[in-house]
Amino acid sequence: MNPSVYLVKGREKSLRRRHPWVFSRGIQRVEGKPSLGQTVDVYDHQGQWLACGAFSPNSQIRVRVWTFEQEEVNVEFFKKRLKEAQGLRDVLAARDGLTGYRLIAAESDGLPGITIDRYENFLVCQLLSAGAEAHKDNLVEALIAQYPECSIYERSDVSVRKKEGLKERTGVLHGELPPASVVIEENGVKISVDITGGHKTGFYLDQRDSREAAVKYVNGKRVLNCFCYTGGFGLYSLKGNAAEVINVDVSRPALDIAKSNAEMNGYDLSKAQFVNADVFKLLREYRDAGESFDVVIMDPPKFAESKAQLTGACRGYKDINMLAMQILKPGGKLLTYSCSGLMDNALFQKIIADAALDANRSVQFIERFEQAADHPIDSSYPEGFYLKGFACHVK
Ligand code: SAH
């Protein structure tokens, strides 16, 4: 028998809509003594069974639901979830020629706290919740059974684990240690991924569709690729025959990979520059020096980690987008993104509008972007939508 969690009257509503979180304030009482990450049954105030999930005694999100069915959470359960997720990815992988994709997008794939990215034959796991940690052995066993050709590596070096009472951890879970460079392919572009040392699990897979969408804007153009990481939009710009691409990032190791990625794809390196600089500073320097571009790509890291940071984040987004507009030639294109989940589409659009006013430019939104389909959004979990972007025609 699992320990039991009984909800305050009325607090069952979100679970009935299949939202997978139970907050601590919604709990009336707990029967039994669930340990960190242990599976518990959740009941409404009248004792009707609702779901079963993982108990997180240290987090405001006290229970994360594994399932709304009466089933055991064991190796078979994880195999089933993996199979469902793989079905969706198979279609994408075939369509876009992918050897790297997000296999499991946590809550959005019915596995709260678990992210798994596949790079060639390496599966890279990020376990963010107590429940994910408690079921690590089951998960790894299911992965080995389903993907006998793959090695499994853990990149749980993320600070949110503290909220769950967990330490950061990285290391091999099965098979081989990933080499410094694992080469994946997407849309005909080869990308070297540093699984053990790169950001997150090694690469920003979520921007794949936006990178491909950028290709049509760059033919013969002078492109500024801000926050380039390991090349990303810059590689696609070279694929799209840009006349010149200036890639900017604060990370020297990321820029080194960006350059070798361009080389590996056989692109003309004389068209590409790799600039180690702070985008905020560099844009001002470009503006003051009268530099101008046909296309500016603006794909910054997440500025808002919490609601308290949202106002500051808005200022940051407005600032860089205003600067980008100021250095765009008349009729130039701004491709701009926000991966802050706390900022919705409408707010981001408003920020771009404010930036246009400050830059004294008029702007038309001509295309909208979202995270790629291997980062799905479950209808019960709207929080899964975090990445948004616009192509803007800047007059
Ligand atoms: N566009 C990339 C992903 C960008 S991730 C792709 O398609 O793969 C965000 C990047 O911004 C990281 O590489 C990080 O090193 C860089 N970064 C963060 N702050 C920065 C700053 N102030 N100036 C320049 N780069 C910055």
Side-chain angles (χ1 to χ4, degrees):
M1 266 275 283
N2 295 329
S4 310
V5 168
Y6 290 86
L7 302 186
V8 173
K9 189 177 174 195
R11 290 298 188 150
E12 72 287 351
K13 280 186 196 138
S14 64
L15 259 77
R16 290 211 192 280
R17 294 185 56 83
R18 296 188 162 233
H19 189 279
W21 293 348
V22 176
F23 285 93
S24 58
R25 61 180 182 275
I27 294 177
Q28 191 202 31
R29 70 195 151 92
V30 179
E31 280 181 10
K33 287 214 158 42
S35 57
L36 192 67
Q38 192 181 348
T39 304
V40 295
D41 284 304
V42 183
Y43 298 89
D44 73 5
H45 74 290
Q46 288 176 318
Q48 196 178 14
W49 187 88
L50 295 166
C52 98
F55 195 70
S56 285
N58 302 304
S59 168
Q60 289 297 316
I61 305 172
R62 194 56 49 91
V63 178
R64 288 169 196 261
V65 172
W66 289 122
T67 175
F68 294 94
E69 315 285 328
Q70 296 269 7
E71 62 184 326
E72 249 190 78
V73 182
N74 53 20
V75 179
E76 290 313 309
F77 167 82
F78 285 100
K79 282 188 193 166
K80 194 175 84 181
R81 287 279 197 265
L82 289 171
K83 227 180 234 149
E84 287 165 1
Q86 186 64 56
L88 170 63
R89 275 66 180 187
D90 281 343
V91 177
L92 301 173
R95 187 192 68 185
D96 298 337
L98 308 181
T99 57
Y101 49 82
R102 178 148 294 183
L103 171 60
I104 295 293
E107 273 81 348
S108 307
D109 280 301
L111 291 176
I114 300 177
T115 299
I116 305 177
D117 288 336
R118 179 166 185 166
Y119 301 110
E120 271 291 333
N121 283 348
F122 287 92
L123 299 169
V124 188
C125 306
Q126 229 174 27
L127 309 176
L128 303 184
S129 64
E133 181 71 23
H135 282 283
K136 185 149 108 178
D137 291 350
N138 283 339
L139 176 68
V140 170
E141 195 179 329
L143 285 168
I144 293 170
Q146 224 99 308
Y147 304 96
E149 72 282 16
C150 288
S151 292
I152 308 170
Y153 189 77
E154 180 172 8
R155 277 294 305 265
S156 300
D157 47 338
V158 268
S159 58
V160 288
R161 271 173 69 99
K162 262 193 225 110
K163 288 192 196 166
E164 297 276 332
L166 306 170
K167 289 206 179 77
E168 297 187 15
R169 188 192 176 275
T170 60
V172 175
L173 293 172
H174 172 73
E176 293 167 26
L177 180 71
S181 161
V182 172
V183 177
I184 59 160
E185 198 163 328
E186 52 170 53
N187 298 310
V189 179
K190 291 191 190 69
I191 294 152
S192 165
V193 180
D194 179 1
I195 291 173
T196 58
H199 295 180
K200 306 208 171 180
T201 65
F203 188 53
Y204 294 90
L205 294 160
D206 52 4
Q207 280 286 46
R208 181 191 317 116
D209 291 356
S210 293
R211 287 190 283 265
E212 179 67 4
V215 169
K216 63 178 166 300
Y217 294 109
V218 301
N219 189 5
K221 305 292 188 194
R222 183 171 200 231
V223 179
L224 177 64
N225 178 21
C226 300
F227 308 98
C228 70
Y229 190 48
T230 55
F233 287 91
L235 299 172
Y236 280 67
S237 298
L238 292 169
K239 173 176 105 160
N241 287 316
E244 188 185 355
V245 184
I246 298 178
N247 298 283
V248 186
D249 206 284
V250 277
S251 162
R252 176 45 69 193
L255 285 165
D256 291 343
I257 299 178
K259 188 170 181 193
S260 69
N261 277 336
E263 256 166 356
M264 176 172 60
N265 281 281
Y267 298 140
D268 182 354
L269 273 187
S270 69
K271 290 181 175 175
Q273 288 179 49
F274 301 88
V275 181
N276 191 195
D278 178 340
V279 166
F280 288 85
K281 264 181 70 188
L282 186 71
L283 289 177
R284 287 193 162 75
E285 285 168 23
Y286 280 164
R287 181 190 60 189
D288 298 344
E291 287 276 352
S292 64
F293 295 87
D294 300 299
V295 178
V296 175
I297 295 158
M298 197 54 74
D299 183 26
K302 187 153 119 185
F303 287 163
E305 297 280 350
S306 65
K307 275 202 181 127
Q309 293 174 357
L310 192 56
T311 313
C314 289
R315 241 176 273 131
Y317 284 110
K318 188 175 133 187
D319 189 37
I320 47 172
N321 282 289
M322 177 197 73
L323 290 163
M325 291 172 195
Q326 288 175 330
I327 57 169
L328 271 168
K329 294 178 191 166
K333 302 290 183 288
L334 169 63
L335 307 185
T336 185
Y337 308 89
S338 162
C339 61
S340 299
L342 291 162
M343 172 173 294
D344 62 19
N345 244 323
L347 177 56
F348 190 44
Q349 184 169 325
K350 170 91 168 52
I351 286 168
I352 302 302
D354 288 348
L357 284 176
D358 283 7
N360 199 22
R361 301 291 290 268
S362 88
V363 162
Q364 290 168 308
F365 296 98
I366 54 174
E367 198 178 352
R368 279 152 209 279
F369 308 109
E370 288 183 2
Q371 62 216 53
D374 50 340
H375 298 62
I377 302 150
D378 192 282
S379 61
S380 297
Y381 182 70
E383 294 89 336
F385 172 50
Y386 65 96
L387 180 57
K388 63 220 76 80
F390 302 109
C392 304
H393 178 69
V394 181
K395 291 198 264 189

